[in-house]
Amino acid sequence: MYDYIKGHLVSKQLNSYRGSHIVVETGNIGYVINTGKSTIERLSDNDEIKIYVSLTHKEDSMTLTGFITKEERDIFNILQSVSGIGVKMALMILEEFSISELIDIMIREDFKELSRAKGVGAKVAQKIIIELKDKLINWSNVTPVDVGDIEHPSNINQDTVVEVQSVLISLGYSVNEAKNAIKEVLNYKKDALKSEDILKYSLEYLSRQDSIK
């Protein structure tokens, strides 16, 4: 229903009966948007901001949760696709880990590292990894992945490039957006040899592209 809200940052609250949230005014309407502490700390008072949102609809309420980047919002939605993971726990996980760190954890199946997040025990961490790894890594099963025209150094396996593109597509990027980001990284980041490094730099590149749209 909503992709993002662009408007004036009226207020931000780290602690209230509503939890951490901001109020963004646009079109003479003030939107209360739940968010995490790290997001609030990156926002300046009275700024004009663009915040990516996710709508949660329950029987007795509708709430918006917001993020500075599209990638954070999309991984938040993916986290909530795991049964038993709600808004609060998904936010806690994203407060503890960056997107690239979280995806790296999934790739390595490091449930002990994931359980560092507040409220995430070992069993829950294992469940998250089991349910999400296939969604992130094996997206090419349902979306064509074409890396044939991506030139890469001989010391980078093509399977690594396929893996990175699959993850980017799972986060909502088109095949072309993913390919362009990977090409950019491989052209200018010669030290990016591991999938997690290529993924990290690709996400940074895509985030910059989105910020100038």
Side-chain angles (χ1 to χ4, degrees):
M1 183 176 181
Y2 298 107
D3 183 26
Y4 62 84
I5 293 174
K6 194 172 184 179
H8 176 68
L9 178 62
V10 176
S11 65
K12 52 184 185 179
Q13 295 289 332
L14 282 174
N15 297 294
S16 76
Y17 72 95
R18 288 174 170 166
S20 298
H21 69 272
I22 60 175
V23 176
V24 179
E25 181 182 348
T26 183
N28 295 318
I29 299 174
Y31 292 90
V32 177
I33 303 172
N34 295 328
T35 191
K37 178 182 177 182
S38 62
T39 297
I40 289 177
E41 289 176 342
R42 285 182 281 168
L43 297 172
S44 300
D45 293 333
N46 301 314
D47 265 0
E48 292 294 318
I49 66 169
K50 180 179 182 180
I51 196 90
Y52 289 90
V53 295
S54 175
L55 176 66
T56 302
H57 192 182
K58 297 182 179 180
E59 289 185 4
D60 58 346
S61 66
M62 287 194 298
T63 58
L64 288 170
T65 306
F67 304 90
I68 291 174
T69 69
K70 175 182 178 294
E71 295 79 23
E72 291 171 302
R73 189 275 311 277
D74 291 346
I75 201 72
F76 170 80
N77 287 336
I78 292 173
L79 281 169
Q80 285 194 97
S81 70
V82 178
S83 58
I85 305 299
V87 171
K88 187 175 181 181
M89 185 172 290
L91 275 174
M92 286 180 177
I93 292 171
L94 288 171
E95 284 290 289
E96 184 68 36
F97 304 105
S98 69
I99 299 301
S100 56
E101 287 172 339
L102 186 57
I103 293 174
D104 182 45
I105 286 170
M106 300 298 166
I107 294 171
R108 293 186 289 106
E109 299 185 16
D110 191 348
F111 72 90
K112 289 184 179 179
E113 180 72 7
L114 184 59
S115 63
R116 278 177 36 208
K118 186 176 179 181
V120 179
K123 288 184 178 180
V124 173
Q126 287 176 308
K127 182 179 182 181
I128 291 172
I129 288 174
I130 289 170
E131 292 195 28
L132 289 191
K133 185 175 180 182
D134 284 347
K135 292 182 180 182
L136 290 172
I137 305 303
N138 297 326
W139 202 262
S140 56
N141 291 336
V142 293
T143 304
V145 174
D146 177 16
V147 296
D149 62 343
I150 296 179
E151 295 183 7
H152 53 81
S154 58
N155 56 349
I156 296 180
N157 191 293
Q158 180 157 304
D159 289 343
T160 297
V161 180
V162 171
E163 182 179 89
V164 172
Q165 190 179 12
S166 297
V167 173
L168 293 174
I169 292 170
S170 77
L171 292 174
Y173 292 104
S174 69
V175 171
N176 284 335
E177 286 175 322
K179 286 169 66 174
N180 289 338
I182 294 169
K183 287 179 181 179
E184 187 76 10
V185 170
L186 295 181
N187 280 336
Y188 295 100
K189 293 287 186 179
K190 304 301 183 183
D191 58 337
L193 302 178
K194 297 179 180 179
S195 58
E196 55 263 35
D197 296 325
I198 299 172
L199 179 62
K200 174 185 176 182
Y201 293 130
S202 295
L203 287 169
E204 290 176 356
Y205 170 80
L206 288 164
S207 180
R208 289 196 301 271
Q209 296 304 301
D210 187 71
S211 67
I212 61 178
K213 288 181 180 177

